[in-house]
């Protein structure tokens, strides 16, 4: 069964600290993996997209990694800011059709 | 935001009443989606459309119907709303590259 699991479910960190969010998936055949940021009361917004051949991709203070062999991805946030407080959702696309598989998200709270 | 709007943004309705949510896009995308988002479940696909008058069911389609008479509009109808349909509903389109989705701002629906 195609699934996407994220950990931790929630995380609280101090402003300025780094953190890493995890995503494990069983989706096959794999097409790509995306990380979305969802602010409270708003729709998800794409942060990064990674294909099978990509290991690392950065978007400012956000760095995503992908290990296609172990089917794991991580999102590393550097020097966190209060505005990073949001839910982060991992989404994996299946190569054969119109299927997107969503994780349940990690809720990140950055405190001063 | 890929030119996606949803209406209404908030709605409170009574059990048993019909409700229609509207998703409007301005960029002529072929694929459109309706999701619901509930705590602990992440985003779940209700229905999607791959063209005018072409729609298909998602994993949680029971109690919902959709229509797409124009490229720019995708309507979600709850024929007889139930309390279990209280949720936040997101519309999304698939980008022109086919590898990512863009989400609307969401509609918060409360069924009392």
């Amino acid at each position: 069964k195609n699934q996407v699991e994220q950990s931790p479910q929630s995380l609280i960190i101090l402003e300025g600290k780094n953190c890493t969010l995890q995503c494990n998936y069983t989706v096959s055949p794999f097409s790509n993996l995306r990380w979305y940021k969802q602010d409270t009361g708003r729709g998800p917004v794409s942060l990064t997209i990674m294909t099978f051949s990509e290991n690392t991709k950065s978007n400012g203070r956000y760095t995503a990694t992908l290990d296609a062999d172990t089917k794991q991805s991580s999102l590393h946030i550097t020097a966190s800011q209060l505005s990073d407080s949001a839910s982060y959702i991992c989404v994996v696309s299946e190569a054969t059709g119109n299927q997107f598989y969503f994780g349940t998200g990690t809720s990140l709270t950055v405190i001063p | 935001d890929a030119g996606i709007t949803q209406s209404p943004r908030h709605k409170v309705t009574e059990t048993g009443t019909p409700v229609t949510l509207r998703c409007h896009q301005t960029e002529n995308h072929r694929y459109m989606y309706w999701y619901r988002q509930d705590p602990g479940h992440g985003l779940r696909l209700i229905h999607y459309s791959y063209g005018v008058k072409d729609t298909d069911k998602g994993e949680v389609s029971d109690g919902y119907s959709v229509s797409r008479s124009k490229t720019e509009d995708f309507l979600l109808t709850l024929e007889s709303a139930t309390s279990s349909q209280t949720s936040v509903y997101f519309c999304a389109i698939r980008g022109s590259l086919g590898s990512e989705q863009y989400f609307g701002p969401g509609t918060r629906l409360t069924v009392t």
Side-chain angles (χ1 to χ4, degrees):
Chain A
K1 183 179 179 182
N2 290 323
Q3 286 184 316
V4 177
E5 295 183 352
Q6 293 186 243
S7 62
Q9 185 174 356
S10 62
L11 183 63
I12 300 174
I13 62 172
L14 291 173
E15 185 179 12
K17 297 296 186 182
N18 304 334
C19 67
T20 300
L21 314 180
Q22 299 289 343
C23 174
N24 297 334
Y25 62 93
T26 60
V27 179
S28 183
F30 173 85
S31 176
N32 60 73
L33 183 148
R34 282 155 292 133
W35 283 94
Y36 284 87
K37 179 186 180 187
Q38 184 176 22
D39 292 315
T40 300
R42 307 193 68 172
V45 176
S46 181
L47 289 174
T48 66
I49 179 170
M50 303 186 74
T51 59
F52 185 88
S53 59
E54 296 175 305
N55 299 119
T56 304
K57 183 170 283 188
S58 293
N59 177 2
R61 294 179 297 101
Y62 301 101
T63 299
T65 64
L66 175 65
D67 185 334
D69 291 331
T70 61
K71 298 186 177 180
Q72 296 179 325
S73 176
S74 65
L75 181 69
H76 186 74
I77 304 175
T78 304
S80 61
Q81 300 176 358
L82 298 179
S83 60
D84 292 330
S85 295
S87 180
Y88 292 83
I89 302 170
C90 175
V91 184
V92 180
S93 299
E94 188 186 46
T96 57
N98 188 35
Q99 295 287 342
F100 298 88
Y101 296 90
F102 291 79
T104 55
T106 292
S107 176
L108 174 66
T109 303
V110 181
I111 59 175
Chain B
D1 63 359
I4 305 169
T5 58
Q6 293 184 231
S7 59
R9 294 293 315 279
H10 302 271
K11 186 171 182 67
V12 180
T13 191
E14 293 184 348
T15 297
T17 60
V19 177
T20 295
L21 309 183
R22 179 183 185 235
C23 177
H24 179 79
Q25 56 134 335
T26 60
E27 299 185 0
N28 217 34
H29 293 285
R30 179 183 175 194
Y31 282 84
M32 298 182 74
Y33 306 79
W34 275 108
Y35 293 91
R36 60 178 289 174
Q37 187 176 39
D38 305 287
H41 288 279
L43 284 150
R44 291 183 291 174
L45 181 65
I46 304 171
H47 282 278
Y48 69 97
S49 170
Y50 46 96
V52 173
K53 297 186 180 179
D54 292 322
T55 63
D56 206 349
K57 296 179 179 180
E59 64 175 303
V60 291
S61 59
D62 288 348
Y64 302 95
S65 63
V66 291
S67 66
R68 192 164 178 206
S69 59
K70 299 184 292 184
T71 299
E72 58 266 35
D73 288 325
F74 191 31
L75 304 180
L76 176 71
T77 298
L78 291 65
E79 300 290 348
S80 178
T82 67
S83 59
S84 65
Q85 293 175 312
T86 292
S87 186
V88 181
Y89 291 86
F90 287 98
C91 174
I93 59 94
R94 192 165 81 176
S96 54
L97 295 178
S99 56
E100 62 183 300
Q101 292 178 307
Y102 297 93
F103 289 85
T107 294
R108 181 173 294 277
L109 176 67
T110 302
V111 183
T112 61

